[in-house]
Amino acid sequence: MSSSMDCLSSKDNKHETTPPPNRAPWWTSETVAVVTGANRGIGHALAARLAEEGLTVVLTARDEARGEAAAAALRARGLRSVRFRRLDVTDPASVAAFAAWVRDELGGVDILVNNAAVSFNEIDTNSVEHAETVLRTNFYGAKMLTEALLPLFRRSAATSRILNISSQLGLLNKVRDPALRRMLLDEASLRERDIERMASRFLAQVADGTWRGQGWPEVWTDYAVSKLALNAYSRLLAARLAGPGRGGGVSVNCFCPGFTRTDMTRGWGKRTADEAGRVAAGLALLPPEQLPTGKFFKWSTPHVYSKL
């Protein structure tokens, strides 16, 4: 497992993102996949792809009307296995209610894709005006939902998996603070409370106007810090759920789709949301014998690669 969850190109580390021909899938129609923030963009495309593959897909969104419309649109395409459930990952009550619904209605979960995220910057701006909302959604929200759903995973090392949609903006090579880099690289000592303190320190500096020049990532700083925290949490969670034969039974990986044309990028980008969703679905459905944990995957056309 990479201590930095960083990524480098390597011929040996390329992953195919579609099942090989004539291979029986490991999943069935009873396999449950939850995709957050899926009423549009990459999340919607990913949910559609998983439904096309025959899984039971729970599409979530904060806005009930938009979420239901998004799910209905997929069902109108013949994807009858798509269900909508309202979820605000920043609201503890909403997260608890969602977890209870998954338990009572579906009996558990096999795949969680933490896709819900926000950014309020234009392509060429770097405001931190909404930093608290960004971190509360992109990091704290993803973490809160993950912890709420962990008891509901079916705990099969072959099938249970979490895929966090992240960004290379949150990689350690974007951090200019040597002490922070050392802390995040110290795999033996790093704890979740250290990551939360880092996030709190950033928000405190934003509040008092001292965040500039403190070694934080320089592009979309609030978004980058949220993904830096998510990447670090993902690495710790992967280690927590690992053990002999990965006894925890749930793999945890991150995926950076790259510069994709979505509402977040105001329509700018090198690829479409449908293309990114297809690649993300391929990672979420990797065959059990190819399924790693604790990896950061980056899509660099035409391959997805990770540092092992």
Side-chain angles (χ1 to χ4, degrees), residues 81-307:
S81 66
V82 176
R83 305 180 66 170
F84 168 70
R85 192 70 179 176
R86 184 187 177 277
L87 171 64
D88 180 351
V89 299
T90 70
D91 179 1
S94 179
V95 169
F98 179 78
W101 178 83
V102 169
R103 180 195 64 216
D104 297 340
E105 293 292 322
L106 302 173
V109 63
D110 303 285
I111 301 172
L112 169 62
V113 181
N114 281 309
N115 170 76
V118 296
S119 175
F120 297 89
N121 275 298
E122 301 292 336
I123 293 298
D124 57 352
T125 64
N126 191 30
S127 168
V128 295
E129 179 183 355
H130 303 286
E132 185 173 350
T133 299
V134 171
L135 267 78
R136 192 168 67 242
T137 304
N138 301 2
F139 168 54
Y140 291 109
K143 182 177 183 294
M144 179 164 56
L145 177 64
T146 298
E147 298 293 340
L149 291 184
L150 271 181
L152 303 181
F153 271 88
R154 303 186 207 274
R155 297 283 172 161
S156 164
T159 60
S160 295
R161 51 200 66 191
I162 296 169
L163 184 64
N164 292 323
I165 306 302
S166 190
S167 172
Q168 63 182 333
L169 294 178
L171 291 178
L172 284 180
N173 60 9
K174 305 299 190 296
V175 176
R176 298 292 179 261
D177 179 352
L180 179 57
R181 284 176 59 90
R182 283 194 301 272
M183 182 191 79
L184 294 174
L185 281 166
D186 189 350
E187 196 165 319
S189 300
L190 185 65
R191 298 292 183 268
E192 289 179 19
R193 62 178 177 270
D194 299 321
I195 302 170
E196 294 188 346
R197 286 170 182 163
M198 174 194 75
S200 296
R201 178 161 62 93
F202 170 70
L203 290 176
Q205 291 176 358
V206 167
D208 63 22
T210 62
W211 64 275
R212 291 183 178 84
Q214 299 294 331
W216 302 109
E218 297 177 352
V219 177
W220 279 18
T221 300
D222 56 1
Y223 180 82
V225 171
S226 75
K227 296 302 186 179
L228 178 70
L230 180 63
N231 292 345
Y233 167 67
S234 300
R235 173 161 55 90
L236 289 189
L237 183 62
R240 191 211 307 176
L241 299 178
R246 211 168 56 238
V250 183
S251 73
V252 185
N253 296 294
C254 290
F255 170 56
C256 171
F259 193 27
T260 303
R261 295 193 289 275
T262 64
D263 289 349
M264 186 179 291
T265 63
R266 311 302 190 265
W268 291 81
K270 297 180 179 179
R271 52 185 64 97
T272 67
D274 284 344
E275 291 170 331
R278 175 183 56 79
V279 174
L283 289 172
L285 297 177
L286 279 173
E289 67 273 13
Q290 297 179 23
L291 181 65
T293 192
K295 299 294 180 285
F296 183 103
F297 292 98
K298 178 185 173 184
W299 185 19
S300 179
T301 308
H303 295 287
V304 176
Y305 57 83
S306 71
K307 182 176 180 180

